[in-house]
């Protein structure tokens, strides 16, 4: 697992990988801009509905702006991993192909192309699953907020399960002999791998690279599981 992350880290400088990362980050930031714009107009409506515009007077615009900024920052921290992973899953063929072409050329040549419609379904399914799991865990995370560290553990545990599954499945679907073929990486290994990616998502600035580092590392984990034929 450590070697998989090391190989993934080295490939983040690959021009082809960088191009895909920039494309994914651009789309994710566009989504944040949409969230901010919707938040602004929604706050306008709420303030007007409760008569706050009259009470706040000239400061109403500043209050809306501050509230929208807070929502964008909180939403960005909570939703980055979900949006980035969904975008990455949509470009799974492109991203995984870049890793396989360099390290596993024989398997890359035999890989199945998923097609954009299937990738879109996988991306939407993964995003909804991630959002649902995180929303279910939110009440417990809020209760544990007073402990100072419990919330982080809840976040890591929930996302370890999700990321371990989503990232390895993203690779395996290109090579599985059947649609319902079990993942070649054990549940325990997936959890530890997912926990590593989830921890990286808590580190400022590193969290922007974490989904891509995880996807590249997952490619190595799946290929080194022995379930894929690498014979030329």
């Amino acid at each position: 697992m450590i070697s998989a992350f090391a190989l993934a880290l080295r490939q983040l400088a690959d021009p082809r990988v960088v191009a895909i990362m920039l494309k994914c980050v651009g789309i994710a930031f566009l989504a944040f801009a949409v969230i901010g714009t919707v938040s602004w107009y929604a706050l306008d409506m709420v303030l007007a509905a409760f008569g706050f515009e009259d009470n706040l007077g000239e400061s109403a615009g500043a209050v809306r702006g501050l509230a929208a900024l807070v929502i964008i920052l909180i939403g960005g921290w909570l939703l980055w991993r979900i949006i980035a992973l969904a975008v990455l899953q949509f470009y799974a063929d492109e991203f995984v192909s870049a890793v396989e072409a360099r390290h596993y050329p024989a398997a890359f040549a035999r890989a199945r192309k998923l097609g954009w419609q299937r990738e879109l379904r996988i991306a939407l399914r993964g995003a909804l699953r991630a959002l649902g799991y995180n929303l279910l865990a939110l009440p417990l995370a809020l209760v544990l907020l007073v402990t100072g560290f419990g919330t982080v553990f809840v976040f890591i545990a929930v996302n370890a399960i999700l990321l371990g599954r989503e990232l390895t499945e993203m690779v395996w679907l290109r090579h599985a002999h059947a649609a319902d073929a079990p993942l070649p990486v054990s549940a325990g290994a997936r959890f530890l791998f997912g926990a590593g990616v989830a921890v990286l998502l808590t580190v400022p600035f590193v969290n922007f690279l974490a989904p891509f580092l995880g996807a590249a590392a997952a490619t190595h984990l799946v290929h080194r599981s022995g379930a894929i034929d690498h014979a030329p």
Side-chain angles (χ1 to χ4, degrees):
M1 192 175 299
I2 294 175
S3 63
F5 274 108
L7 287 169
L9 184 60
R10 285 203 293 269
Q11 192 158 7
L12 290 188
D14 184 323
R16 185 178 174 187
V17 170
V18 170
I20 301 169
M21 285 168 53
L22 289 175
K23 181 163 52 178
C24 291
V25 170
I27 293 172
F29 274 114
L30 179 62
F32 293 152
V34 171
I35 291 171
T37 303
V38 171
S39 299
W40 178 274
Y41 286 107
L43 285 167
D44 258 350
M45 294 173 61
V46 170
L47 289 171
F50 286 92
F52 289 163
E53 289 281 354
D54 296 333
N55 297 329
L56 294 173
E58 294 182 358
S59 64
V63 171
R64 290 198 311 271
L66 180 61
L69 177 62
V70 170
I71 288 174
I72 291 170
L73 291 175
I74 294 175
W77 184 80
L78 291 173
L79 297 178
W80 166 250
R81 60 189 177 277
I82 297 173
I83 294 174
L85 184 60
V87 174
L88 184 58
Q89 284 177 308
F90 182 69
Y91 290 108
D93 259 355
E94 219 175 318
F95 192 90
V96 176
S97 291
V99 180
E100 290 181 341
R102 177 174 175 178
H103 294 278
Y104 312 101
F108 163 71
R110 292 192 292 268
R112 181 187 304 110
K113 298 296 181 184
L114 300 179
W116 72 266
Q117 289 122 325
R118 189 176 183 189
E119 286 188 314
L120 180 60
R121 288 197 301 272
I122 293 169
L124 291 174
R125 185 187 64 194
L128 290 173
R129 185 186 294 140
L131 185 61
Y133 273 55
N134 279 276
L135 286 176
L136 285 174
L138 187 60
L140 178 59
L142 291 174
V143 169
L144 294 175
L145 195 60
V146 295
T147 65
F149 57 86
T151 300
V152 175
F153 284 137
V154 171
F155 160 76
I156 290 174
V158 170
N159 287 281
I161 298 170
L162 285 166
L163 292 167
R165 172 179 174 174
E166 298 292 341
L167 291 173
T168 52
E169 185 180 59
M170 186 173 79
V171 181
W172 179 235
L173 286 173
R174 291 167 46 82
H175 301 278
H177 54 81
D180 58 348
L183 290 170
V185 182
S186 69
R190 291 200 310 269
F191 181 83
L192 289 175
F193 164 69
V197 179
V199 168
L200 293 175
L201 283 166
T202 66
V203 181
F205 302 110
V206 176
N207 58 352
F208 287 103
L209 295 175
F212 310 106
L213 185 62
T219 304
H220 293 295
L221 281 179
V222 172
H223 277 276
R224 294 182 174 197
S225 67
I228 298 174
D229 180 17
H230 295 103

